[in-house]
Amino acid sequence: MPEDDVPITGKIRDKLIERKQDWARQGRLLTGTTADPDHDRLPPGQRLVKDWPVLDLGAQPDVTEAKFRLDVDGAVQNRLSLRLDEFMALPQTEQASDMHCVTQWSRYDNHWKGVSAQALLRIVQPSSEVNHVIFTAHDGYTSNIRLDQFDQPDVLLVHQWEGRTISREHGGPVRMLVPRLYLWKSAKWLRRIHFTISDHPGFWERRGYHNNGDPWLEERYD
């Protein structure tokens, strides 16, 4: 059980994890091509969908308003530990972006509302030595990105999609959104953002997936 005693429905599906590790070993879905995001909207090997497929490890935390907590810590001047109402009181941003999943689907023109990563950076003020940002979910899932990937105008901590509260199955009440990277980097059920000098590969990165995850460079696997 997570540290905040958040209830979880379902069980981790070990066979699903093993299958996705096999994909990495086999190089499944790789086309061997690259694209330019300034000219090619759809990354190599992707197909468009109109729905939003639900993908998780088999277990979904039930993060109620009372249980929600977001810690922002590490090598920063101003650490935060936010209740949901305190998070909602931060400056809010609305924007549209595409999303791309490593399992081969992409969805265009998603409308989001949340707190921009750049607004958060202005508040916490990371040390000049910080190079990486580590996300931890309420179920213990982790993912990692570089600070320069986090410090982008389209990166958000989102709580709304298409004008509605993000559902639990999609990582609500708050999840990451890093639209320039494969979606596994955008941790659901966000619990902690940790700024660090050294890199710490996350759940899928330790299981054969690429440490960077750029869809246009087809960085699916290590």
Side-chain angles (χ1 to χ4, degrees):
M1 185 70 72
E3 60 186 274
D4 298 307
D5 197 30
V6 171
I8 293 180
T9 300
K11 293 171 34 177
I12 296 295
R13 292 183 285 176
D14 293 331
K15 289 185 178 179
L16 178 147
I17 295 171
E18 291 172 7
R19 184 167 69 251
K20 289 191 175 181
Q21 286 181 270
D22 285 340
W23 290 7
R25 287 188 286 266
Q26 298 164 7
R28 186 176 182 272
L29 306 178
L30 290 176
T31 68
T33 62
T34 61
D36 182 350
D38 291 330
H39 300 97
D40 302 296
R41 189 174 184 182
L42 190 67
Q46 296 294 104
R47 59 180 176 81
L48 288 178
V49 300
K50 294 188 179 296
D51 58 347
W52 185 359
V54 176
L55 295 173
D56 55 45
L57 301 179
Q60 296 181 357
D62 184 11
V63 187
T64 64
E65 180 175 351
K67 291 286 187 181
F68 178 86
R69 180 69 60 173
L70 175 62
D71 291 334
V72 186
D73 58 23
V76 297
Q77 291 188 33
N78 304 307
R79 296 188 173 194
L80 301 176
S81 186
L82 303 171
R83 302 187 309 267
L84 188 58
D85 62 327
E86 294 171 326
F87 171 80
M88 294 295 187
L90 296 178
Q92 300 289 312
T93 297
E94 295 187 42
Q95 60 180 244
S97 61
D98 304 338
M99 55 180 166
H100 310 286
C101 182
V102 73
T103 59
Q104 208 176 19
W105 61 263
S106 294
R107 190 182 192 280
Y108 288 167
D109 298 321
N110 301 277
H111 296 86
W112 310 97
K113 184 175 181 179
V115 175
S116 76
Q118 292 184 333
L120 189 68
L121 288 170
R122 289 193 290 269
I123 295 170
V124 301
Q125 299 182 43
S127 161
S128 61
E129 298 179 326
V130 166
N131 292 305
H132 291 87
V133 186
I134 313 300
F135 308 126
T136 302
H138 273 272
D139 63 349
Y141 177 89
T142 59
S143 63
N144 60 316
I145 65 174
R146 299 191 312 269
L147 178 62
D148 65 291
Q149 294 170 322
F150 184 77
D151 187 8
Q152 297 294 328
D154 57 356
V155 175
L156 301 175
L157 288 66
V158 293
H159 59 83
Q160 283 190 14
W161 175 72
E162 301 300 330
R164 301 184 297 275
T165 299
I166 289 183
S167 65
R168 175 186 175 190
E169 63 184 5
H170 286 305
V174 177
R175 65 168 293 153
M176 279 306 308
L177 176 70
V178 189
R180 300 187 191 194
L181 302 179
Y182 283 121
L183 203 55
W184 90 75
K185 292 288 189 177
S186 298
K188 295 181 175 184
W189 308 295
L190 192 62
R191 175 64 180 84
R192 183 188 184 201
I193 300 177
H194 182 70
F195 291 87
T196 178
I197 296 169
S198 57
D199 193 13
H200 300 278
F203 182 90
W204 286 116
E205 292 80 11
R206 298 193 304 270
R207 290 166 172 81
Y209 283 71
H210 201 283
N211 201 53
N212 192 48
D214 185 323
W216 287 270
L217 297 180
E218 208 173 38
E219 293 176 336
R220 299 181 190 273
Y221 314 118
D222 190 10

